Amino acid sequence: MGNGVFFVAEQRDGALRKVSFELASTARKLADALGVEACGIICGSGVSGLAADLGKYGADKVFVVDNAALEPYTTSAHTQAVATVAKDNGAVILLLAASAQGKDLSARLVGKLATGMASDCTEVRIDGGKLVATRPMYSGKCFGEVVIAGSPQMASLRPNVFTAVESGKAGAVTSVNVAIEPGKVKVLEVVKEASGKVDVTEANVIVSGGRGMKDAAGFAVLEELAGVLGGAVGASRAAVDAGWRAQSDQVGQTGKVVSPNLYIACGISGAIQHLAGMSSSKYIVAVNKDAEAPIFARADYGIVDDLFKVVPALTAECKKLVG
Amino acid sequence: MNIVACVKQVPDTEAQIKVKADGTGIEEGGIKWVMNPYDEYGVEEALKLKEKLGGEVTVVSVGPARAMETIRTALAMGADKGIHIDDAALNNADAFTVASALCAAVKSLSCDVVFCGQRAIDDDSGQVGAILAELLGVPQVTMATKMELADNVAKVTKSIEGAQVVMEVQLPCVITTTKGLNEPRYASLPGIMKAKKKPVDVKTGADFGVSAELKAQVVKVLPPPARPPGKVLKADDTPEGKAAELAKALREEAKVI
Ligand SMILES: Cc1cc2nc3c(=O)[nH]c(=O)nc-3n(C[C@H](O)[C@H](O)[C@H](O)COP(=O)(O)OP(=O)(O)OC[C@H]3O[C@@H](n4cnc5c(N)ncnc54)[C@H](O)[C@@H]3O)c2cc1C
């Protein structure tokens, strides 16, 4: 029965994450190319109300698994729910987010469904009736085109890369009961970071600082600029290892991979391991007093000067423009 | 306590990656090979557990002959023995196949905790640890940044967007490791000498009943898209002038603010 393009919407604390809309619109595109339906899956407790929003971004149908055992998120419970819905409804393609939760869940599902997956994709398309996924490899030093022989064909999508398009249609909502066996992981605590703080993987704008910030206090100028632009503050490994910023802010090979619209690198030399985390940003700006710094080779716009003079001036200019 | 640390040999992070002209893969000549940096955290955590609770650490690697160097590195850090699954048919295998081979190796030992790096920095797939956990039928915690163990229960912390999640997981389990968990030790000179004599079992896929039946296949490898050359902004030759020029460009040209 059925053969839709499925996607797993991600919600936290009863709100859909932005990447869920990116997934919905991408599933829509693939479904249109195949002439099938785009179907969303939402798992959680008390989440039925979220289904309508997915319709707006392209889902024909939304399957809601509402069960107290699905909150807080555990791998085992969500794997059971998604695998059941995908199998029972004939998913030919299954998309998830390459977010912290999506990476955990999608890889477990590959095992459970005994299939293959292209992870952290930056492009997906249909060719000859099959999914073809493009993804960075070797930290973005090259790209691979992947096809999946298993079923469903799975892909996880890098957040912030795919566009969410509002189409204004309401999807049909189906409630599904899945019996969830208890798992062997218990969530003891979810400790939230400063409220209102945008994670670097979800930010449209990132203002990042490196060793050139001199100390933890130096980051104040970046916080201010990020505040004006509605962005997040990132850091190089040098800044994190010096204890100036939290590990969760680190961008790069051993930190996070980010794709904002705008990445402003301040006092960052542009080591290959840093580039590994930010080269899929749409626009890159470098502020560095060393004209020879390798970051300039990757930057769309560069300023060779003292960041402590340039950044406050930039903040003032942006305030004028953004209002 | 029996602990397994899975390791993969990958190009050094500094390596230039050149795509073969026919798009079938990368040129391997001239590459310096190292232990995947995320796997180092797994080996270190395994050694710390062993030091605290006693037991044995086995390193397992799927890879060509050169992967033996990476197994020896882990042995030099302090692991006790190794299993090297060296099989040409598995060289370009997908995550499911590699996890199947690791699963067979792990099952041949009796094991309480399996560590895997959260991803390998060559294919960047980040799937093997979780697939392995599913195939073993044990729980997983991915991207662990903190771990304590008592009475067959591990208390593990991982970071998600904007929060830290603290979990309790029953052993046996698979933990995938990331930066923040620990500071991997360097192999000492005596360690390197000792490693030469530690036992490493070399196996093929067939020994473990695993064949490469690919479910995911990289059909083409491409160089990254070329970026147009950037502009260096010089207005007035003052920081203020340059900042104003930048703000204008971001607003009017790039349209990102
Ligand atoms: C296995 C491995 C993994 C790694 N993972 C990561 C990773 O995930 N992320 C990461 O970032 N790095 C990573 N690194 C480290 C990386 O190699 C570099 O050491 C690091 O990125 C350097 O950080 P930086 O650019 O802040 O510091 P530096 O290279 O020291 O650069 C500082 C820059 O600041 C400039 N500067 C100083 N003062 C000013 C000023 N007043 N105004 C303007 N400019 C100024 C300098 O000209 C210089 O270019 C990794 C390394 C290894 C080996």
Side-chain angles (χ1 to χ4, degrees):
Chain A
M1 239 288 290
N3 47 8
V5 175
F6 280 65
F7 66 95
V8 179
E10 192 169 317
Q11 58 88 20
R12 205 179 310 156
D13 302 329
L16 288 169
R17 314 284 290 175
K18 183 171 148 241
V19 68
S20 301
F21 304 119
E22 298 164 11
L23 284 160
S25 298
T26 308
R28 169 83 270 143
K29 258 201 208 158
L30 298 179
D32 286 343
L34 287 171
V36 301
E37 285 180 322
C39 305
I41 305 175
I42 303 185
C43 304
S45 177
V47 291
S48 314
L50 302 176
D53 276 350
L54 292 177
K56 274 195 235 155
Y57 285 88
D60 296 304
K61 273 189 195 150
V62 182
F63 294 89
V64 180
V65 192
D66 209 316
N67 187 322
L70 292 167
E71 211 63 67
Y73 169 86
T74 60
T75 316
S76 153
H78 281 242
T79 300
Q80 294 175 55
V82 174
T84 305
V85 174
K87 265 202 243 166
D88 289 356
N89 298 282
V92 286
I93 292 177
L94 179 60
L95 307 176
L96 286 97
S99 56
Q101 182 177 309
K103 284 176 185 166
D104 182 80
L105 177 59
S106 61
R108 185 83 187 204
L109 281 164
V110 172
K112 175 102 178 163
L113 299 168
T115 185
M117 172 167 75
S119 359
D120 209 11
C121 301
T122 51
E123 216 183 291
V124 287
R125 62 174 205 274
I126 299 293
D127 195 342
K130 294 277 292 176
L131 175 73
V132 180
T134 306
R135 51 183 304 272
M137 295 168 68
Y138 296 89
S139 317
K141 292 176 194 167
C142 63
F143 283 70
E145 281 191 354
V146 181
V147 296
I148 309 296
S151 176
Q153 303 162 69
M154 287 184 63
S156 66
L157 309 187
R158 180 173 289 188
N160 255 353
V161 170
F162 295 82
T163 343
V165 189
E166 207 168 337
S167 62
K169 228 175 56 179
V173 180
T174 312
S175 211
V176 191
N177 278 321
V178 180
I180 309 277
E181 306 268 333
K184 290 177 173 165
V185 173
K186 193 168 101 196
V187 175
L188 300 177
E189 205 184 354
V190 178
V191 186
K192 290 197 183 128
E193 283 158 19
S195 64
K197 192 179 152 195
V198 195
D199 189 76
V200 285
T201 56
E202 297 178 319
N204 285 324
V205 176
I206 297 174
V207 186
S208 236
R211 206 191 311 270
M213 302 313 299
K214 295 213 164 60
D215 51 29
F219 275 81
V221 292
L222 304 190
E223 294 281 0
E224 223 172 303
L225 178 57
V228 171
L229 298 176
V233 174
S236 74
R237 177 165 178 168
V240 170
D241 286 354
W244 304 341
R245 300 300 291 184
Q247 177 61 51
S248 55
D249 295 342
Q250 186 185 315
V251 172
Q253 188 102 62
T254 41
K256 288 182 175 163
V257 177
V258 299
S259 334
N261 287 332
L262 174 59
Y263 188 88
I264 306 180
C266 306
I268 293 177
S269 61
I272 198 156
Q273 297 90 352
H274 188 80
L275 300 176
M278 42 66 83
S279 53
S280 68
S281 305
K282 286 174 199 98
Y283 281 90
I284 296 171
V285 170
V287 182
N288 195 306
K289 63 182 182 189
D290 174 10
E292 302 299 314
I295 189 76
F296 286 116
R298 288 298 179 96
D300 299 286
Y301 300 105
I303 293 183
V304 183
D305 213 323
D306 182 353
L307 76 93
F308 289 103
K309 290 184 184 145
V310 173
V311 174
L314 182 60
T315 306
E317 289 296 333
C318 290
K319 254 189 207 155
K320 282 190 224 160
L321 292 176
V322 181
Chain B
M1 173 102 358
N2 284 320
I3 309 156
V4 170
C6 301
V7 298
K8 184 177 189 184
Q9 194 183 43
V10 298
D12 178 54
T13 54
E14 297 281 350
Q16 299 279 348
I17 299 294
K18 279 199 202 75
V19 176
K20 281 187 190 159
D22 63 1
T24 55
I26 62 154
E27 301 281 1
E28 295 204 349
I31 286 180
K32 182 181 159 206
W33 299 91
V34 299
M35 186 188 300
N36 177 40
Y38 291 111
D39 300 347
E40 292 179 358
Y41 301 115
V43 173
E44 176 62 33
E45 201 63 20
L47 296 174
K48 277 170 62 182
L49 283 183
K50 176 189 146 175
E51 283 157 6
K52 210 168 136 199
L53 304 166
E56 198 175 45
V57 175
T58 309
V59 279
V60 183
S61 186
V62 177
R66 57 174 160 70
M68 183 64 93
E69 300 155 19
T70 292
I71 294 176
R72 291 285 171 209
T73 303
L75 296 175
M77 287 167 77
D80 300 289
K81 59 186 171 63
I83 299 178
H84 181 186
I85 305 165
D86 177 3
D87 191 328
L90 299 182
N91 277 352
N92 287 307
D94 61 8
F96 192 90
T97 308
V98 171
S100 304
L102 293 173
C103 175
V106 170
K107 279 188 171 162
S108 74
L109 311 155
S110 96
C111 165
D112 305 290
V113 184
V114 180
F115 290 103
C116 295
Q118 59 116 331
R119 69 185 150 92
I121 63 161
D122 50 0
D123 62 30
D124 282 327
S125 276
Q127 301 178 27
V128 166
I131 301 173
L132 174 59
E134 173 67 25
L135 297 179
L136 289 168
V138 304
Q140 74 194 45
V141 178
T142 53
M143 299 202 256
T145 52
K146 201 171 162 193
M147 176 169 176
E148 290 159 37
L149 210 157
D151 302 328
N152 266 339
V153 174
K155 191 174 162 190
V156 188
T157 304
K158 78 176 277 182
S159 87
I160 59 173
E161 298 82 4
Q164 307 285 322
V165 185
V166 188
M167 282 167 275
E168 226 171 50
V169 51
Q170 286 170 38
L171 269 46
C173 65
V174 172
I175 306 284
T176 82
T177 52
T178 197
K179 181 168 178 264
L181 184 63
N182 54 43
E183 281 299 326
R185 68 194 67 187
Y186 291 102
S188 64
L189 200 56
I192 294 168
M193 300 311 291
K194 268 194 228 153
K196 291 182 182 157
K197 295 196 201 88
K198 290 180 179 172
V200 179
D201 247 352
V202 181
K203 301 276 195 186
T204 62
D207 292 338
F208 285 130
V210 176
S211 63
E213 186 198 310
L214 296 192
K215 298 177 193 298
Q217 204 172 356
V218 181
V219 287
K220 201 194 240 167
V221 180
L222 309 155
R227 263 193 116 93
K231 276 189 216 165
V232 174
L233 309 178
K234 296 184 171 152
D236 299 350
D237 213 19
T238 64
E240 294 75 21
K242 294 171 193 170
E245 192 184 356
L246 175 59
K248 190 161 181 267
L250 293 177
R251 180 77 163 189
E252 290 169 13
E253 257 175 39
K255 300 190 167 65
V256 284
I257 63 168

